Amino acid sequence: MNTTPVFYPIGTPGTPWGDAERAEWLSRQIRHRSYESEVISKIERLHDRFDLEEYGRLEYGDQSFPLLAIRSLDWDDELPIMLVTGGVHGYETSGVHGALQFVEQHAGAYAGRANLLVAPCVSPWAYERIHRWNPNAIDPNRSFYNDSPSEESAALMRLVAPISDRVVMHIDLHETTDTDETEFRPALAARDGKPFTPGGIPDGFYLVDDSESPQPAFQQAVIAAVERVTHIAPADDNGEIIGSPVVARGVIEYPLKKLGLCASVTSARYKTTTEVYPDSPRATPEQCNAAQAAAVCAAIDYSLAHQ
């Protein structure tokens, strides 16, 4: 795919953005959908089956966004903790709605077997604007570290800090979209004053394991479950997916902690980042949501069986 413009329309090539460029970028962002009606309303309907918690609030301009988490109703400190996060990148729709679909349709099956903590929409401002960054042109999924510049990331880290050492499994739900190549990667290069090198978008679902502590059998259990719902991304001609070597079918590895990725926020033994491909002609939005929910179920099932 070679539809990417030669230059990004904000800034000067080779020069990182300053305040003026960030302000210009922010002025171009448009609200396309409603966090309140599409996400909060769904969470509030779960109030009789789960404990709902406001773990923070974002104040951006004239908007206020409550950050909501869903917990098992009968939390038992003797049970293993399973963490599910979605919407760290707000534009990745199935990350949000796949997490909610898991809670609505499948979470009840784990009552008495595991404690569930689900943060379905970590970045609500970006959800509304279908964007990767927050209003400060910061990527929350490169900002999970101490003194984070991202309020979204800092709030989630505060939420999980009391249980970080007891989390057994953390699955972070994402998408890889065509706009990664046409908008978000060019914007990143422009923001940082670096040249943009066009790449490709893999067609299908894949996972990102932790290169510092890989769990290949866990990853393959998730791949096997998702394959019943949607197709798995093949390696490209270089044996890679988005520039990283494929270590097993549908799996690449990143150093999660070093990159400040969400999946590094706990000491969970089992952790993974999902990547659904919603722009595939072979997938529908419903399939993408179902694939995310299937990934969560498979991740929890494997973790319970291999504690």
Side-chain angles (χ1 to χ4, degrees):
M1 180 173 59
N2 294 303
T3 59
T4 305
V6 175
F7 64 94
Y8 196 73
I10 296 173
T12 302
T15 303
W17 288 1
D19 291 343
E21 290 80 12
R22 290 173 185 268
E24 181 182 354
W25 170 83
L26 180 59
S27 72
R28 295 177 178 226
Q29 304 313 308
I30 298 169
R31 185 171 181 259
H32 296 282
R33 54 190 180 183
S34 169
Y35 172 64
E36 182 174 1
S37 64
E38 297 181 19
V39 180
I40 293 178
S41 64
K42 290 186 176 182
I43 295 173
E44 289 178 341
R45 288 200 294 268
L46 300 168
H47 71 91
D48 58 338
R49 298 165 52 199
F50 300 91
D51 283 332
L52 308 183
E53 175 184 355
E54 182 176 318
Y55 66 90
R57 184 171 284 265
L58 304 173
E59 306 289 345
Y60 287 137
D62 60 355
Q63 286 192 279
S64 181
F65 298 96
L67 296 170
L68 300 179
I70 303 162
R71 291 181 184 265
S72 296
L73 188 60
D74 297 314
W75 191 277
D76 182 346
D77 286 336
E78 299 300 314
L79 296 177
I81 300 172
M82 308 292 175
L83 174 63
V84 182
T85 50
V88 174
H89 289 145
Y91 72 106
E92 296 172 6
T93 306
S94 73
V96 177
H97 292 285
L100 290 172
Q101 182 167 319
F102 162 74
V103 175
E104 292 166 351
Q105 298 183 6
H106 306 288
Y110 299 101
R113 302 169 59 203
N115 296 316
L116 304 179
L117 176 59
V118 182
C121 190
V122 173
S123 297
W125 182 91
Y127 176 85
E128 292 198 335
R129 285 148 184 87
I130 314 182
H131 211 285
R132 185 178 181 91
W133 296 341
N134 72 11
N136 300 313
I138 293 172
D139 185 342
N141 205 37
R142 295 298 185 274
S143 304
F144 286 93
Y145 51 81
N146 292 337
D147 300 319
S148 174
S150 164
E151 293 184 46
E152 295 83 357
S153 308
L156 185 68
M157 288 189 289
R158 288 193 297 270
L159 172 69
V160 303
I163 59 169
S164 176
D165 293 339
R166 295 190 292 125
V167 174
V168 173
M169 188 283 301
H170 178 194
I171 185 168
D172 188 32
L173 309 181
H174 284 256
E175 295 180 344
T176 300
T177 70
D178 287 348
T179 52
D180 286 1
E181 186 71 4
T182 59
E183 168 63 24
F184 299 123
R185 292 175 189 167
L188 174 63
R191 186 198 69 182
D192 295 346
K194 297 178 179 179
F196 171 65
T197 302
I201 299 296
D203 185 350
F205 180 95
Y206 64 98
L207 295 172
V208 182
D209 196 0
D210 186 4
S211 61
E212 302 302 314
S213 181
Q215 295 290 336
F218 167 69
Q219 307 295 332
Q220 286 304 305
V222 177
I223 289 289
V226 171
E227 190 170 19
R228 295 193 287 269
V229 181
T230 192
H231 57 291
I232 306 304
D236 63 20
D237 292 342
N238 297 318
E240 298 177 338
I241 290 177
I242 59 169
S244 293
V246 173
V247 298
R249 184 165 179 263
V251 182
I252 61 174
E253 294 178 350
Y254 284 171
L256 303 181
K257 195 76 173 179
K258 180 180 179 180
L259 294 176
L261 301 181
C262 182
S264 72
V265 296
T266 74
S267 56
R269 177 181 181 184
Y270 301 112
K271 44 187 173 281
T272 194
T273 301
T274 69
E275 294 286 353
V276 169
Y277 180 43
D279 297 315
S280 172
R282 301 166 59 190
T284 65
E286 292 75 20
Q287 275 180 294
C288 292
N289 293 344
Q292 301 280 27
V296 176
C297 290
I300 295 174
D301 291 343
Y302 184 94
S303 302
L304 288 174
H306 297 85
Q307 291 186 70

